[in-house]
Amino acid sequence: MKGVSVVIDESGDYLDLTLEPEHFEQELQTSSLLEYIAQGEFAQLYLSKSTVKSACDNANHYFKTGDHTIVTERIGERRHAEVDFRIAEDGMSAVMSLTAPYGGKLPTVKMVISLAARNNISRGLSSKRIKALLTQARQGAPGEVFESLIAKGLPPRNGKNSRFIPLVPNALERVLRPQTSGGDRVDMRNLGEVICVKIHTEVLRRAEPTLGRKGFTVSGTVLEANSGKQVEFKTGSGTVVSDRDPNLLVAAISGMPKFKDQTMNIEDTFICSGVNVGTGHVNYDGAVLVNGDVTEKMVIKATGDVTVNGFVESAHIESGGDIIITEGAMGKVNEDSTDFSCHLTAAGSIHVQHGQGIDIQCAGNITVGRQLAYSRLRCGGSVTVGQIDNPQGNLFACEIVSQSKVIAGTLGAVSGSTLKVDFSPGFNLLLERKDSLDELLKQLRENNLRHQEKLKIIKSKLVPEELRPKVEEAKELLKNESALLNWIEMKAEEMKQAKEVYLNDVQLVANKRLYPGVSVKLNNRNWRSEREYDRSKVVYEAHQWQFKPTV
């Protein structure tokens, strides 16, 4: 451009503009001049547009007035990359902000680490993240700003409290994990020896609490960790602390071990070779172990677990713990499926290897080894037919009320016999509790707000000396009421989450086949299988039952 000269000064860092109005052919446009500079060797340098405009305006004025005064301005410079650091308030992270250079230099990783140290960032630095940020800036436009987390502190890890490690398995755990019989095959008949411990047997070990691990901030401040606490044994019935090892619990009596809620109990065990007309009914305060069959019309009632290493036929068994039948159970049922001759009722879970014509009720889970048919089930947990890790058993012609998933290899039968699953009762009970809690919470909130307003009015008044103790008492009551309100709000949130968990858990899963005649219900939402499907599941989503093939 005539009358325009743009040069780098002797230091090589600054850009100077010289305008000679006497050589202008016409008035100089600022935009044209900026475009001219940007296309040259100075495109990467920092340019002050306001200075360029001011120089243009002055030169144009001289051009119009015929003045030959030369305009000289320093309009740009070479700028190196700018580095800035921000440390989070908690000191557990640091962010680096990097402005791409204007024709200048980028720092090296080593230089950034040194700069970070001067800014009180000395620990948890990631050279890899710094290098990636520098690469971004190198490829970016001049003046572009890049940010990245480059340092992270290490939060302290508190020590763990004492843990309790059972040294003998519960009977139900033993049944659900059959022993291997050479190679990788699993023998479903080989369930190991019956767990019935002798006196002085070691049954529970207490692992020592751990010290935890110290942490640090990005500034290098050490964060102390809290050590775990020594938890005392919850000495259950039939157990004592060992004389030679305070971290060991041993059996005080011979019986069946049961580890539940971090407590080991040794249940006094009644052992017999069978229950029949020769032995009579069994009513025992403790666990019952039957090494044989339970015959027709016999009754077993126990406060502990009931384990039958045999077959149960049209009998009545009640347990205050789990019921475990290692072979099968069978009973008769009338045409209306209202009267069953075989009843199993447990406060815990129930396991049957196979069954037909059984009325099962329990608070826990129901597990079946191979097949279950023509039965009525009501449980507070899930129903699984087949091995726990890969259920492939058959479930058909049953009525089920469950509070968690129903899973088997085959659901229903080729004949189209009905399999009804109802998840409503557990959900309705949960809703009833949630509604009651929400109503209580609403009332408490209103009361608490009203009490706060009343106390605020009292505080604004001049209270006589003799009434001040009453005011202090009211303050304490309000404090307690607020604490109760917070606790109820926390429980209401837990109940809301429990509702969501329930809806996520209720589902039918068929690992091999789903036949016609299978129906599922949640209040007024129903789904019924009208044809045969391969591997699939039925889940509750968006207030509807949804069928999903398993890929």
Side-chain angles (χ1 to χ4, degrees):
M1 296 179 73
K2 289 185 177 182
V4 177
S5 174
V6 184
V7 295
I8 293 281
D9 76 337
E10 293 180 358
S11 68
D13 292 331
Y14 297 101
L15 185 65
D16 293 329
L17 172 67
T18 302
L19 300 177
E20 301 178 64
E22 63 177 311
H23 297 303
F24 287 180
E25 295 178 346
Q26 60 184 9
E27 286 188 28
L28 191 61
Q29 300 295 322
T30 304
S31 58
S32 301
L33 180 57
L34 289 172
E35 187 178 341
Y36 169 73
I37 298 171
Q39 289 176 351
E41 58 181 302
F42 316 115
Q44 295 296 316
L45 302 185
Y46 172 76
L47 201 64
S48 173
K49 294 180 181 179
S50 60
T51 306
V52 172
K53 184 178 184 305
S54 176
C56 281
D57 291 344
N58 290 336
N60 286 333
H61 173 70
Y62 296 145
F63 173 70
K64 286 188 290 185
T65 59
D67 193 334
H68 294 169
T69 302
I70 297 174
V71 178
T72 304
E73 290 287 354
R74 180 154 286 175
I75 60 168
E77 62 182 350
R78 190 184 305 278
R79 288 186 177 181
H80 299 305
E82 295 181 4
V83 179
D84 190 28
F85 301 96
R86 291 197 315 274
I87 300 176
E89 288 185 14
D90 59 2
M92 297 304 292
S93 63
V95 171
M96 173 178 162
S97 177
L98 180 63
T99 304
Y102 288 90
K105 296 179 181 178
L106 276 169
T108 62
V109 174
K110 189 175 180 181
M111 290 169 64
V112 170
I113 292 174
S114 177
L115 284 170
R118 293 181 198 171
N119 284 271
N120 205 25
I121 303 171
S122 57
R123 297 204 64 180
L125 276 163
S126 170
S127 299
K128 188 176 179 181
R129 288 174 179 267
I130 294 172
K131 188 176 180 180
L133 192 61
L134 291 173
T135 301
Q136 281 183 289
R138 189 174 291 111
Q139 297 171 352
E144 191 174 353
V145 179
F146 301 90
E147 282 191 348
S148 177
L149 182 74
I150 60 158
K152 290 197 293 187
L154 181 69
R157 185 165 59 205
N158 292 331
K160 295 181 179 178
N161 296 339
S162 304
R163 292 183 299 113
F164 296 109
I165 306 168
L167 304 178
V168 289
N170 292 343
L172 184 59
E173 293 172 358
R174 176 181 58 83
V175 170
L176 295 178
R177 286 198 296 268
Q179 311 295 309
T180 55
S181 56
D184 296 327
R185 295 187 58 125
V186 172
D187 184 358
M188 294 302 294
R189 295 169 184 262
N190 177 16
L191 300 172
E193 295 183 1
V194 173
I195 300 299
C196 196
V197 299
K198 295 181 179 179
I199 189 171
H200 304 314
T201 301
E202 297 176 355
V203 293
L204 188 68
R205 178 171 293 282
R206 176 174 59 191
E208 292 288 348
T210 59
L211 296 176
R213 182 204 64 203
K214 292 181 180 179
F216 56 81
T217 66
V218 294
S219 301
T221 304
V222 176
L223 304 174
E224 297 294 335
N226 296 323
S227 300
K229 296 179 181 178
Q230 181 82 315
V231 180
E232 295 302 320
F233 277 118
K234 294 179 182 177
T235 309
S237 59
T239 60
V240 292
V241 179
S242 171
D243 293 334
R244 57 184 180 81
D245 187 350
N247 290 317
L248 199 60
L249 209 62
V250 298
I253 60 172
S254 296
M256 189 174 291
K258 183 68 178 286
F259 183 65
K260 186 177 180 182
D261 298 331
Q262 301 299 303
T263 304
M264 178 67 78
N265 293 289
I266 305 298
E267 298 175 342
D268 192 14
T269 307
F270 174 79
I271 304 175
C272 61
S273 58
V275 177
N276 47 52
V277 291
T279 63
H281 301 313
V282 175
N283 191 336
Y284 193 70
D285 185 11
V288 172
L289 174 59
V290 182
N291 289 316
D293 297 336
V294 180
T295 60
E296 190 173 1
K297 295 184 179 179
M298 299 311 297
V299 177
I300 298 176
K301 293 183 179 181
T303 58
D305 291 354
V306 175
T307 303
V308 180
N309 287 317
F311 194 82
V312 175
E313 181 181 359
S314 297
H316 184 99
I317 301 177
E318 290 184 23
S319 167
D322 300 330
I323 294 177
I324 302 141
I325 301 173
T326 61
E327 292 195 16
M330 183 172 289
K332 302 181 183 70
V333 57
N334 63 1
E335 291 183 0
D336 300 329
S337 298
T338 56
D339 188 23
F340 292 78
S341 63
C342 187
H343 295 267
L344 306 178
T345 305
S349 297
I350 293 179
H351 173 82
V352 180
Q353 191 62 15
H354 61 86
Q356 180 172 316
I358 322 170
D359 184 15
I360 302 177
Q361 294 189 47
C362 69
N365 301 322
I366 296 174
T367 53
V368 181
R370 290 195 294 273
Q371 178 171 293
L372 184 64
Y374 302 104
S375 299
R376 183 169 63 193
L377 293 75
R378 189 182 186 97
C379 67
S382 62
V383 178
T384 306
V385 185
Q387 295 183 34
I388 289 295
D389 55 349
N390 184 24
Q392 295 290 334
N394 303 319
L395 179 64
F396 59 93
C398 293
E399 290 187 8
I400 301 172
V401 175
S402 175
Q403 295 186 27
S404 189
K405 70 172 62 174
V406 175
I407 179 170
T410 302
L411 292 175
V414 180
S415 63
S417 57
T418 59
L419 173 66
K420 298 178 180 179
V421 181
D422 189 357
F423 294 112
S424 307
F427 185 63
N428 291 336
L429 181 61
L430 192 62
L431 283 182
E432 186 180 330
R433 291 176 180 171
K434 182 179 179 299
D435 291 343
S436 298
L437 199 59
D438 289 344
E439 185 62 33
L440 175 61
L441 183 59
K442 179 183 177 184
Q443 190 63 47
L444 272 175
R445 282 173 176 162
E446 291 174 356
N447 291 345
N448 186 255
L449 185 61
R450 188 170 66 253
H451 294 158
Q452 285 181 7
E453 290 173 351
K454 294 287 185 184
L455 193 59
K456 189 176 180 180
I457 293 171
I458 292 173
K459 286 180 179 179
S460 65
K461 305 291 184 181
L462 183 61
V463 180
E465 187 69 31
E466 61 272 15
L467 293 180
R468 287 182 182 174
K470 293 288 185 182
V471 174
E472 293 301 320
E473 186 180 342
K475 287 182 182 178
E476 188 64 28
L477 288 172
L478 181 61
K479 181 180 177 182
N480 293 338
E481 185 184 57
S482 299
L484 176 62
L485 178 61
N486 291 335
W487 185 81
I488 295 291
E489 284 179 338
M490 182 180 68
K491 289 299 176 183
E493 183 61 30
E494 289 177 3
M495 194 65 71
K496 180 182 176 182
Q497 292 174 0
K499 176 187 171 184
E500 294 173 359
V501 169
Y502 190 98
L503 293 175
N504 288 332
D505 285 350
V506 294
Q507 55 183 283
L508 300 183
V509 180
N511 288 327
K512 287 198 296 189
R513 193 80 63 190
L514 178 66
Y515 285 105
V518 177
S519 64
V520 60
K521 176 183 179 184
L522 181 63
N523 290 339
N524 61 345
R525 303 297 185 189
N526 297 275
W527 182 89
R528 181 181 173 85
S529 173
E530 300 297 341
R531 65 179 182 87
E532 184 178 327
Y533 299 96
D534 286 331
R535 296 177 59 191
S536 52
K537 59 184 178 180
V538 182
V539 299
Y540 193 80
E541 291 180 356
H543 308 290
Q544 293 289 341
W545 287 108
Q546 309 282 347
F547 172 82
K548 294 187 176 182
T550 304
V551 179

